[in-house]
Amino acid sequence: MPTAPQNTDELYQALEENDRLPYGRTRTVTAEELVDAAEQLAEPVPLVHALFELQEAYTYGSEPRKSPVVFARLLNLFDEQPDVFDERRRHTLFWRFKWVADALRVLPEIPLAGLRQWLTEMRDRYEKAGLGLQPYYGQAYQLAAHIGEGTTLAYELWAGRSRTGLSDCEACEICERALYHLAAGDDERALNDWEPVLAGKESCQEEPARSVSYALLPLLRSGRVDRARELHLAGYRNCRRNPSMSGEVGRHLEFCALTGNEARGLELLAENRNLFGEVESPLDLFDFLTGAEVLLQRVESLGHGELPAAGYAGRTWTVAGLRAEVRGRADDLAARFDARNGTTAHTDRRRARLDRAPLVDALELTLRTRGLDEVAPAAPVAAPAARTAAEVPESLPELILRARTLDEQGHPDARACWAKLRTLAASRDYAHPDDPAVGPLARLRADLLSDEASRTGEKDEFAEAAALHEEAAGLYEDAGAPGDAAVARACALLAAAEIPAEIPAEGAEGGSADEADGAGGAAVKAAALASAHAAMVRLHEEASGLAPHQEGRLLRLRATALGMRLQTSGDEAHVAPVLAEADLLLAFATRHELGGQISGALLLRATTHALSGDLPAAVTVIDGVRDRLKAHGPAWHLPRTLALRGRIQLGLRDAQAAQADLAEGLRLAADWPADVVDTARLHADLAEVCMHLGRPDEALRHLTRSAELELRRGSRTDAYCAYSNAAQLCLDLGRVEDCIALLDSLLAEPDVAAGEVDDRLVAQLRLTRARALHTGEDLKAATTEFVALAAESARWDDDPGSHVMIAAETAVLLGESGEFGRAREAAEQAIAAHARAPRYEQLSGCLRELARLQAERQGPEGLADARAHLAEAGRIADEARAAEYEAQGRSLDTALAYEHGRVNAYAGEYEDALAALEKALALLGGPTPEKGEDHAGEWAECLRLTAAVEGIYLERPAPALNRLDAAVSRLTALGHTEEAEPLSSLANRLRDGG
């Protein structure tokens, strides 16, 4: 806290600001400082408020030992100065007797007699104040349930009494009743009791997160697997990293362990590592540690005890090591509670949890379903292949020669040979064969470098790939292999041409920096590829003694460089040079029977025709390639060929044919390593086709599979982009919790957390997550994320357009939260960025929505500010008109007139509202067959509001009915019966005098 409040107004403002903070040390420390400040003011009422805030911070910040101390001060103030406590403060004081009972119960060092003495104090105080005793009996039952004795009688004494104004909320009492039936083994009755809470009809500070965590296993046992999955995703998000809900986190970890989601469990454990050191409640810690041990025990039983695990700070842990530590601490806590209570309840409950067998073999909880084999950090590996790969020779000379032969053919099995050779050559006792056929060690090192360079280039690390190829070329020359050196140098030239160029940020006044960078970057890259091609031609001409496979590769690289130039530039003049190079390659490969290069040349021709827009020619060529590959091979080219054919068919708008080709390509791809046949691209293409076919759920599966394959082969940027698309599709499909869970998992990845991933890509992931939170009605969390993103995007000098978008959305969320001052500040940021990169519709929509929200929430008092927002939106509409901008939907002027109508109606200015709405109707124009259903719906809604203002608020039913009747007839005649229904309903209401 920068400065201590100097008067009561400042104190109350500080208390209000602190109340908006999440529970935790920051809020608690500030609450402590505010109590000190309140004491200095020497006024009892502000001190009471400060003490209430401090007790709340301790209670929900998981510091139960301190809560009773604060309450003792409040109780003394009440006894000494009862007049200080008005009805509301008195109610709060008596409510918090229960908080103290809860706090004392979770501390094993408090004797059982002390717990019962406090309940007696509570009962006596309630009786003296003339308050009903149901809350007291509720606390007595909770103590009995905690101890494990006398629960039936205690439950009946509580549950049979009528609720009072001091009873726990409905949601909390529902949970206690459900837990009673759960302990009795009646899952079905417990779930029936829980339904109002699980359905979101009853909630509070702790609910439904607490009930959800307990209901997960009963739901599984009763066969409601999908419901359990849904509640796990939503419930976990509401309790993660929260020390006061660590027990709930533990139950979610247990749920993962018992549903075949051990890898997700370890991920969640890592996300909640803070709980090992921040939970001050021994009972909550006991629940958390027991849930964690269920998970760790399961992972260890599956043979993964040496996997890394996130545990207590100060050292690294394995699963086995952490399990032993957790077991010791949890056993100690159980023993302490049982010793205090004189029962074995906690030891028994703990043993029952640890003895549970998995309830489901494998429940797919999230879109990132991973196994324990994928948890440990390891080098990227290809997906297992269905085809049985040729055996790798054991003899070292045979292995080297086999690798080179396969490499000359472009055979996928070459990689397995190179991988084994890389391991052998790296060992200290490696002895290179003295065999003229094998050649010197320098040549083998060049081979390995060349393979490494190719794999590095596939991950788009072009600078490193170019350097490795150059190094390999030098070693080939040293080894007396000039042909291989020439090929390596050509590869280096191509990789160097693909290194992204830095474009001077001079930009064009008429466009964004992104547009300038895109155009300039394409031109620079195209020029680099042309230069690389020219250098390759010279290299080829100067080389001598090339073997056919080497010359074929040089021709292929030359053609590839020009093909990439065409793809980059899109220049029609670049088509013929590519086809000429492809014809050279085809003629050479045919003459020397180089099967891989023949299909490569034909594929290049097909791609070139497709890029130039001649899709029928592309189909003709690709069909020939397909038939040739089926007859003569190489078989590993078929998946890529079918993938290209599928993309061409999609270009021809035949999504069914595209799907058939891609599905067949995917089936054949299973026979080869995923990175060789680009299975990830096949899945991505299938996702696009499925969207065209109206099968979004299937598209989502392909997108996530594509992303996971990219991740496996180390292409993390491509993987995150694919996951970003999957998350957005999830959101579009209304699968909000799936979207949030996927993004939470991605944002927890070590390279993302360490800031090693492109900041704009991470921002996109966060933006989608914020939108999902908003859609899921978690306004507070969504607003917090949007505010943070707006602050970051304000520093994106090269991309003001994105800042307009983010700041505008932030303003709307702040408006929805009622923070209109901050909303205005965010809108002003958007307006300033809009001056550099116009975003007419987004900014106009933001300002109109802010005006609506302010008028709706504040009525006449908010009208001036609302009209100011609309005036700014009017200026934006004028700018758009001057720039000849056309809105995607209704015009900005029409939308503005409609919003003027709504805003004035909310503020009670009905004449102004009517005039504005009539203007909107005029701008919209009436429905016609050409304007379609969407326009008819907009017009009908605008007319409905106009008639409501006129007929109800201005009390002019006759003209309003005339409007409505004419509109209903017009809409009905055009077949828009659904749009006419609300108008008919309003007309009937007006005729009935309402």
Side-chain angles (χ1 to χ4, degrees), residues 944 947-948 952 957 960-966 968 980-994:
R944 186 198 64 80
I952 297 173
L961 281 168
N962 289 336
R963 287 181 193 274
L964 291 167
D965 291 341
V968 169
E981 285 178 10
L983 305 186
S984 299
S985 177
L986 178 58
N988 292 333
R989 178 182 170 188
L990 289 173
R991 288 191 174 92
D992 292 341

mmCIF file of all heavy atoms in Angstrom, residues 944 947-948 952 957 960-966 968 980-994:
data_model
loop_
_atom_site.group_PDB
_atom_site.id
_atom_site.type_symbol
_atom_site.label_atom_id
_atom_site.label_comp_id
_atom_site.label_asym_id
_atom_site.label_seq_id
_atom_site.Cartn_x
_atom_site.Cartn_y
_atom_site.Cartn_z
ATOM 1 N N ARG A 944 -39.873 -3.564 -33.696
ATOM 2 C CA ARG A 944 -40.464 -3.972 -32.410
ATOM 3 C C ARG A 944 -40.135 -2.967 -31.318
ATOM 4 O O ARG A 944 -41.009 -2.548 -30.541
ATOM 5 C CB ARG A 944 -39.956 -5.362 -32.013
ATOM 6 C CG ARG A 944 -40.638 -5.936 -30.761
ATOM 7 C CD ARG A 944 -39.827 -7.078 -30.172
ATOM 8 N NE ARG A 944 -38.524 -6.594 -29.709
ATOM 9 C CZ ARG A 944 -38.336 -5.962 -28.558
ATOM 10 N NH1 ARG A 944 -39.362 -5.712 -27.739
ATOM 11 N NH2 ARG A 944 -37.126 -5.574 -28.206
ATOM 12 N N ALA A 947 -42.035 0.307 -31.875
ATOM 13 C CA ALA A 947 -43.441 0.193 -31.476
ATOM 14 C C ALA A 947 -43.588 0.134 -29.954
ATOM 15 O O ALA A 947 -44.551 0.680 -29.390
ATOM 16 C CB ALA A 947 -44.060 -1.048 -32.118
ATOM 17 N N ALA A 948 -42.624 -0.505 -29.273
ATOM 18 C CA ALA A 948 -42.691 -0.570 -27.809
ATOM 19 C C ALA A 948 -42.528 0.816 -27.203
ATOM 20 O O ALA A 948 -43.258 1.194 -26.266
ATOM 21 C CB ALA A 948 -41.604 -1.513 -27.292
ATOM 22 N N ILE A 952 -46.003 1.761 -25.643
ATOM 23 C CA ILE A 952 -46.002 1.523 -24.196
ATOM 24 C C ILE A 952 -45.523 2.766 -23.441
ATOM 25 O O ILE A 952 -46.225 3.292 -22.570
ATOM 26 C CB ILE A 952 -45.119 0.309 -23.857
ATOM 27 C CG1 ILE A 952 -45.696 -0.958 -24.498
ATOM 28 C CG2 ILE A 952 -45.005 0.133 -22.345
ATOM 29 C CD1 ILE A 952 -44.811 -2.188 -24.354
ATOM 30 N N PRO A 957 -50.795 3.832 -28.471
ATOM 31 C CA PRO A 957 -50.984 2.470 -28.993
ATOM 32 C C PRO A 957 -51.471 2.420 -30.441
ATOM 33 O O PRO A 957 -51.118 1.505 -31.178
ATOM 34 C CB PRO A 957 -52.010 1.854 -28.039
ATOM 35 C CG PRO A 957 -52.708 3.025 -27.417
ATOM 36 C CD PRO A 957 -51.696 4.129 -27.332
ATOM 37 N N ALA A 960 -48.674 2.739 -32.997
ATOM 38 C CA ALA A 960 -47.799 1.582 -32.786
ATOM 39 C C ALA A 960 -48.420 0.327 -33.385
ATOM 40 O O ALA A 960 -47.731 -0.489 -34.035
ATOM 41 C CB ALA A 960 -47.529 1.386 -31.299
ATOM 42 N N LEU A 961 -49.736 0.159 -33.200
ATOM 43 C CA LEU A 961 -50.408 -1.015 -33.750
ATOM 44 C C LEU A 961 -50.420 -0.973 -35.274
ATOM 45 O O LEU A 961 -50.300 -2.013 -35.934
ATOM 46 C CB LEU A 961 -51.837 -1.098 -33.207
ATOM 47 C CG LEU A 961 -51.959 -1.657 -31.785
ATOM 48 C CD1 LEU A 961 -53.348 -1.419 -31.228
ATOM 49 C CD2 LEU A 961 -51.613 -3.149 -31.769
ATOM 50 N N ASN A 962 -50.577 0.219 -35.813
ATOM 51 C CA ASN A 962 -50.538 0.344 -37.271
ATOM 52 C C ASN A 962 -49.187 -0.147 -37.810
ATOM 53 O O ASN A 962 -49.120 -0.857 -38.816
ATOM 54 C CB ASN A 962 -50.779 1.797 -37.691
ATOM 55 C CG ASN A 962 -52.221 2.214 -37.464
ATOM 56 O OD1 ASN A 962 -53.116 1.367 -37.420
ATOM 57 N ND2 ASN A 962 -52.450 3.512 -37.328
ATOM 58 N N ARG A 963 -48.111 0.275 -37.128
ATOM 59 C CA ARG A 963 -46.766 -0.171 -37.528
ATOM 60 C C ARG A 963 -46.675 -1.692 -37.488
ATOM 61 O O ARG A 963 -46.188 -2.349 -38.408
ATOM 62 C CB ARG A 963 -45.705 0.371 -36.560
ATOM 63 C CG ARG A 963 -45.365 1.815 -36.631
ATOM 64 C CD ARG A 963 -44.275 2.083 -35.584
ATOM 65 N NE ARG A 963 -44.073 3.477 -35.335
ATOM 66 C CZ ARG A 963 -43.272 4.280 -36.040
ATOM 67 N NH1 ARG A 963 -42.623 3.769 -37.067
ATOM 68 N NH2 ARG A 963 -43.135 5.549 -35.736
ATOM 69 N N LEU A 964 -47.104 -2.222 -36.339
ATOM 70 C CA LEU A 964 -46.940 -3.653 -36.100
ATOM 71 C C LEU A 964 -47.752 -4.485 -37.087
ATOM 72 O O LEU A 964 -47.254 -5.469 -37.652
ATOM 73 C CB LEU A 964 -47.331 -3.996 -34.663
ATOM 74 C CG LEU A 964 -46.391 -3.460 -33.583
ATOM 75 C CD1 LEU A 964 -47.029 -3.573 -32.204
ATOM 76 C CD2 LEU A 964 -45.069 -4.227 -33.603
ATOM 77 N N ASP A 965 -48.994 -4.093 -37.297
ATOM 78 C CA ASP A 965 -49.839 -4.878 -38.196
ATOM 79 C C ASP A 965 -49.292 -4.869 -39.620
ATOM 80 O O ASP A 965 -49.253 -5.904 -40.303
ATOM 81 C CB ASP A 965 -51.271 -4.329 -38.178
ATOM 82 C CG ASP A 965 -51.966 -4.577 -36.845
ATOM 83 O OD1 ASP A 965 -51.482 -5.461 -36.100
ATOM 84 O OD2 ASP A 965 -52.958 -3.894 -36.553
ATOM 85 N N ALA A 966 -48.835 -3.693 -40.059
ATOM 86 C CA ALA A 966 -48.273 -3.602 -41.411
ATOM 87 C C ALA A 966 -47.009 -4.444 -41.528
ATOM 88 O O ALA A 966 -46.773 -5.122 -42.544
ATOM 89 C CB ALA A 966 -47.976 -2.139 -41.752
ATOM 90 N N VAL A 968 -46.153 -7.103 -39.675
ATOM 91 C CA VAL A 968 -46.471 -8.534 -39.621
ATOM 92 C C VAL A 968 -46.950 -9.017 -40.997
ATOM 93 O O VAL A 968 -46.548 -10.083 -41.478
ATOM 94 C CB VAL A 968 -47.525 -8.812 -38.540
ATOM 95 C CG1 VAL A 968 -48.062 -10.234 -38.658
ATOM 96 C CG2 VAL A 968 -46.929 -8.590 -37.155
ATOM 97 N N ALA A 980 -41.832 -12.503 -37.568
ATOM 98 C CA ALA A 980 -43.095 -11.787 -37.316
ATOM 99 C C ALA A 980 -43.682 -12.095 -35.937
ATOM 100 O O ALA A 980 -44.478 -11.295 -35.406
ATOM 101 C CB ALA A 980 -44.111 -12.136 -38.400
ATOM 102 N N GLU A 981 -43.305 -13.219 -35.343
ATOM 103 C CA GLU A 981 -43.932 -13.652 -34.082
ATOM 104 C C GLU A 981 -43.784 -12.636 -32.948
ATOM 105 O O GLU A 981 -44.755 -12.317 -32.260
ATOM 106 C CB GLU A 981 -43.376 -15.010 -33.663
ATOM 107 C CG GLU A 981 -43.925 -16.156 -34.496
ATOM 108 C CD GLU A 981 -43.320 -17.495 -34.083
ATOM 109 O OE1 GLU A 981 -42.630 -17.531 -33.036
ATOM 110 O OE2 GLU A 981 -43.541 -18.492 -34.783
ATOM 111 N N PRO A 982 -42.575 -12.090 -32.680
ATOM 112 C CA PRO A 982 -42.469 -11.108 -31.587
ATOM 113 C C PRO A 982 -43.320 -9.866 -31.839
ATOM 114 O O PRO A 982 -43.843 -9.254 -30.898
ATOM 115 C CB PRO A 982 -40.972 -10.756 -31.576
ATOM 116 C CG PRO A 982 -40.289 -11.886 -32.255
ATOM 117 C CD PRO A 982 -41.256 -12.380 -33.274
ATOM 118 N N LEU A 983 -43.485 -9.480 -33.105
ATOM 119 C CA LEU A 983 -44.301 -8.312 -33.424
ATOM 120 C C LEU A 983 -45.776 -8.606 -33.144
ATOM 121 O O LEU A 983 -46.499 -7.760 -32.595
ATOM 122 C CB LEU A 983 -44.103 -7.915 -34.891
ATOM 123 C CG LEU A 983 -42.658 -7.648 -35.343
ATOM 124 C CD1 LEU A 983 -42.637 -7.115 -36.773
ATOM 125 C CD2 LEU A 983 -41.960 -6.676 -34.408
ATOM 126 N N SER A 984 -46.229 -9.796 -33.493
ATOM 127 C CA SER A 984 -47.620 -10.186 -33.198
ATOM 128 C C SER A 984 -47.867 -10.223 -31.700
ATOM 129 O O SER A 984 -48.923 -9.780 -31.214
ATOM 130 C CB SER A 984 -47.921 -11.556 -33.816
ATOM 131 O OG SER A 984 -47.784 -11.529 -35.220
ATOM 132 N N SER A 985 -46.895 -10.737 -30.967
ATOM 133 C CA SER A 985 -47.023 -10.812 -29.512
ATOM 134 C C SER A 985 -47.147 -9.417 -28.901
ATOM 135 O O SER A 985 -47.987 -9.185 -28.014
ATOM 136 C CB SER A 985 -45.813 -11.548 -28.934
ATOM 137 O OG SER A 985 -45.866 -11.567 -27.535
ATOM 138 N N LEU A 986 -46.325 -8.464 -29.377
ATOM 139 C CA LEU A 986 -46.393 -7.093 -28.857
ATOM 140 C C LEU A 986 -47.725 -6.445 -29.240
ATOM 141 O O LEU A 986 -48.335 -5.729 -28.426
ATOM 142 C CB LEU A 986 -45.219 -6.276 -29.404
ATOM 143 C CG LEU A 986 -45.174 -4.793 -28.993
ATOM 144 C CD1 LEU A 986 -45.136 -4.649 -27.470
ATOM 145 C CD2 LEU A 986 -43.957 -4.103 -29.622
ATOM 146 N N ALA A 987 -48.191 -6.705 -30.450
ATOM 147 C CA ALA A 987 -49.481 -6.140 -30.875
ATOM 148 C C ALA A 987 -50.611 -6.647 -29.984
ATOM 149 O O ALA A 987 -51.498 -5.867 -29.565
ATOM 150 C CB ALA A 987 -49.744 -6.493 -32.335
ATOM 151 N N ASN A 988 -50.608 -7.922 -29.664
ATOM 152 C CA ASN A 988 -51.641 -8.486 -28.778
ATOM 153 C C ASN A 988 -51.579 -7.838 -27.396
ATOM 154 O O ASN A 988 -52.620 -7.554 -26.783
ATOM 155 C CB ASN A 988 -51.474 -9.996 -28.662
ATOM 156 C CG ASN A 988 -51.784 -10.713 -29.965
ATOM 157 O OD1 ASN A 988 -52.564 -10.207 -30.787
ATOM 158 N ND2 ASN A 988 -51.200 -11.889 -30.159
ATOM 159 N N ARG A 989 -50.362 -7.598 -26.933
ATOM 160 C CA ARG A 989 -50.194 -6.956 -25.615
ATOM 161 C C ARG A 989 -50.790 -5.546 -25.631
ATOM 162 O O ARG A 989 -51.465 -5.128 -24.678
ATOM 163 C CB ARG A 989 -48.715 -6.912 -25.254
ATOM 164 C CG ARG A 989 -48.411 -6.224 -23.935
ATOM 165 C CD ARG A 989 -46.912 -6.192 -23.686
ATOM 166 N NE ARG A 989 -46.580 -5.350 -22.557
ATOM 167 C CZ ARG A 989 -45.342 -5.022 -22.201
ATOM 168 N NH1 ARG A 989 -44.309 -5.492 -22.907
ATOM 169 N NH2 ARG A 989 -45.126 -4.241 -21.162
ATOM 170 N N LEU A 990 -50.522 -4.799 -26.711
ATOM 171 C CA LEU A 990 -51.050 -3.440 -26.803
ATOM 172 C C LEU A 990 -52.575 -3.440 -26.893
ATOM 173 O O LEU A 990 -53.261 -2.590 -26.309
ATOM 174 C CB LEU A 990 -50.444 -2.724 -28.013
ATOM 175 C CG LEU A 990 -48.963 -2.350 -27.910
ATOM 176 C CD1 LEU A 990 -48.445 -1.797 -29.230
ATOM 177 C CD2 LEU A 990 -48.739 -1.341 -26.787
ATOM 178 N N ARG A 991 -53.118 -4.412 -27.605
ATOM 179 C CA ARG A 991 -54.583 -4.484 -27.718
ATOM 180 C C ARG A 991 -55.221 -4.841 -26.384
ATOM 181 O O ARG A 991 -56.363 -4.452 -26.101
ATOM 182 C CB ARG A 991 -54.967 -5.519 -28.776
ATOM 183 C CG ARG A 991 -54.679 -5.050 -30.206
ATOM 184 C CD ARG A 991 -55.312 -5.965 -31.247
ATOM 185 N NE ARG A 991 -55.135 -5.415 -32.581
ATOM 186 C CZ ARG A 991 -54.106 -5.709 -33.380
ATOM 187 N NH1 ARG A 991 -53.172 -6.577 -32.978
ATOM 188 N NH2 ARG A 991 -54.012 -5.144 -34.568
ATOM 189 N N ASP A 992 -54.475 -5.593 -25.555
ATOM 190 C CA ASP A 992 -54.998 -5.965 -24.230
ATOM 191 C C ASP A 992 -54.804 -4.849 -23.211
ATOM 192 O O ASP A 992 -55.090 -5.024 -22.023
ATOM 193 C CB ASP A 992 -54.304 -7.234 -23.732
ATOM 194 C CG ASP A 992 -54.692 -8.451 -24.563
ATOM 195 O OD1 ASP A 992 -55.738 -8.386 -25.251
ATOM 196 O OD2 ASP A 992 -53.935 -9.449 -24.531
ATOM 197 N N GLY A 993 -54.224 -3.733 -23.663
ATOM 198 C CA GLY A 993 -54.048 -2.595 -22.764
ATOM 199 C C GLY A 993 -52.743 -2.617 -22.014
ATOM 200 O O GLY A 993 -52.518 -1.829 -21.083
ATOM 201 N N GLY A 994 -51.839 -3.538 -22.359
ATOM 202 C CA GLY A 994 -50.572 -3.653 -21.625
ATOM 203 C C GLY A 994 -49.453 -2.948 -22.284
ATOM 204 O O GLY A 994 -48.341 -2.974 -21.800
#
